């Protein structure tokens, strides 16, 4: 029996342009750590999601005692403050990740302008 060695065919489509952005080790570490922004956003949505029904309960319900009303007001105030603080922290950390990526991308030098010269015959002929 004869063994046939089949060589796989590899086809590579050309890229229009390949850009390589150099990254420092500290930037790579920061990117690999990821951002705590998603956790902060989850906490913010959780606290604000609690604050909204508490607000409607405070506005639409008559409470039998002042103590119950006070508990609702305290929970509403704490959840509003916690939701707003985590929302602001999320926005700041979200923006810092975007700034890091922008810093890495801005290092790319501008695209050089290429001029066609009539010295090459293939460039002189049109399609």
């Amino acid at each position: 029996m004869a063994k046939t060695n089949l060589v796989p065919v590899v086809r590579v489509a050309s890229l229009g342009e390949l850009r390589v952005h150099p990254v420092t080790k500290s930037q790579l570490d920061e990117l690999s750590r990821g951002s705590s922004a998603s956790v902060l956003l989850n906490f913010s949505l959780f606290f604000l999601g609690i604050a909204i029904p508490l607000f409607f309960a405070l506005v639409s319900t008559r409470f039998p005692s002042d103590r119950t009303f006070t508990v609702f007001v305290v929970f509403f105030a704490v959840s509003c403050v916690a939701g707003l603080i985590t929302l602001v922290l999320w926005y700041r950390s979200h923006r810092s990740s975007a700034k890091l990526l922008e810093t890495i991308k801005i290092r790319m030098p501008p695209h050089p302008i290429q001029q066609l010269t009539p010295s090459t015959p293939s460039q002189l002929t049109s399609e």
Side-chain angles (χ1 to χ4, degrees):
M1 287 192 193
K3 281 185 156 180
T4 315
N5 289 337
L6 297 176
V7 178
V9 177
V10 178
R11 297 178 67 195
V12 178
S14 65
L15 296 171
E17 179 177 280
L18 178 64
R19 294 181 178 196
V20 178
H21 296 275
V23 180
T24 63
K25 185 176 182 331
S26 63
Q27 291 171 335
L28 190 60
D29 290 340
E30 187 175 341
L31 286 174
S32 68
R33 259 186 281 126
S35 175
S36 62
S38 61
V39 174
L40 291 171
L41 181 61
N42 287 338
F43 276 116
S44 176
L45 294 175
F46 171 74
F47 286 123
L48 293 175
I50 290 173
I52 292 170
L54 284 173
F55 172 75
F56 286 116
L58 285 170
V59 171
S60 64
T61 307
R62 290 193 174 192
F63 294 97
S65 69
D66 288 340
R67 184 175 225 168
T68 307
F69 178 74
T70 305
V71 168
F72 268 80
V73 169
V74 167
F75 280 146
F76 171 71
V78 167
S79 61
C80 278
V81 169
L84 291 175
I85 287 173
T86 54
L87 188 65
V88 168
L89 290 174
W90 165 78
Y91 185 72
R92 287 189 64 203
S93 65
H94 174 70
R95 300 293 294 160
S96 67
S97 298
K99 284 182 183 179
L100 174 63
L101 289 176
E102 189 61 34
T103 302
I104 292 170
K105 287 180 180 179
I106 204 156
R107 290 184 194 144
M108 181 65 61
H111 190 30
I113 299 173
Q114 296 178 346
Q115 295 180 348
L116 295 177
T117 58
S119 61
T120 309
S122 63
Q123 292 177 350
L124 292 176
T125 60
S126 61
E127 302 174 67

